[in-house]
Amino acid sequence: MTAVNLPGPGPSPARRTLLQRRIRLLVAATITYNVIEAAVAITAGSIASSAALIGFGLDSIVEVASAAAVAWQFSAADHERRERAALRVIALSFFALAAYVTCDAVRALLGSGEARHSTPGLILAALSLLIMPFLSYAQRRAGRELGSASAVADSRQTLLCTYLSGVLLVGLALNSLFGWSWADPIAALVIAAVAVKEGREAWRGDACCAVPAVPAAPLSGPLSARTAAEADGCADGCCSPDRHSRA
């Protein structure tokens, strides 16, 4: 992948300090919520014999590991020096999550156990589906402006937790309403594939938009904003100057 450095200054020192503090607070909030989420999900999953709920709780533990890696990175004044190590921890967290979800999904498809209805599980999945997107968006926005690949990668981990919340909610609901026990493991396999993709990108340091924000001024020369975004590995437009101007 060929990187194109867009012209323009990065955040001012005062702005960088503010963004670093914001990321630390968001990471702390993510860790706190996921610790509670893990405890509730694993307990409810054990009571209901739900492999999906237990897997969701273990995913929360993986999310804590990822967030802790970012917290460790930003605990240093020169946080850029810890960037690669934090990215490796996040990547390994993705791979571990994918491996567990795959094994658990295959085991469920082979008919290992039958989950019962779980009201706490349904409530937890719905709450996570509402809360996680906001945490992911806020951290991704700050990480992009600051130019931190690890913060952006961790925001992807949080976003993946949102997808898993949706999968869990649908799986528990279909199982409770119609007895369709196969729905959750099928969707979980799709999530596992996404986790592998995100893990590979984090390992390579290809976190989209992990470059300091630039002004919304038009680029000079033949390189258009769309071309620059695609050349920088962000063909989905998340690196476009108009998005940076709103960061």
Side-chain angles (χ1 to χ4, degrees), residues 60-152:
S60 300
I61 295 176
V62 172
E63 171 65 14
V64 169
S66 175
V70 178
W72 168 77
Q73 179 195 349
F74 281 90
S75 65
D78 186 13
H79 65 88
E80 289 87 355
R81 297 184 61 182
R82 295 183 173 183
E83 184 91 38
R84 180 170 295 275
L87 280 171
R88 292 296 170 86
V89 171
I90 293 171
L92 291 174
S93 298
F94 273 122
F95 294 145
L97 171 59
Y100 177 83
V101 170
T102 299
C103 293
D104 193 59
V106 171
R107 188 169 63 90
L109 286 172
L110 293 177
S112 178
E114 184 175 342
R116 298 185 295 273
H117 169 76
S118 176
T119 299
L122 287 167
I123 294 174
L124 177 66
L127 284 175
S128 296
L129 195 58
L130 292 174
I131 294 173
M132 287 300 176
F134 291 101
L135 286 175
S136 175
Y137 171 75
Q139 186 172 346
R140 184 168 63 253
R141 182 178 178 181
R144 286 175 180 170
E145 184 176 354
L146 185 61
S148 171
S150 61
V152 175

Side-chain angles (χ1 to χ4, degrees), residues 12 33-34 37 105 113 125 141-142 159 165 184 186 196 201 204:
S12 66
Y33 181 82
N34 276 279
E37 185 180 69
R141 182 178 178 181
L159 188 61
S165 301
D184 178 66
I186 291 296
V196 171
E201 292 181 356
R204 294 196 307 260

Side-chain angles (χ1 to χ4, degrees), residues 15-31:
R15 180 64 176 170
R16 289 180 64 85
T17 300
L18 175 63
L19 290 170
Q20 291 170 16
R21 185 182 305 116
R22 182 178 300 172
I23 289 174
R24 285 195 294 267
L25 290 174
L26 289 169
V27 167
T30 301
I31 291 175

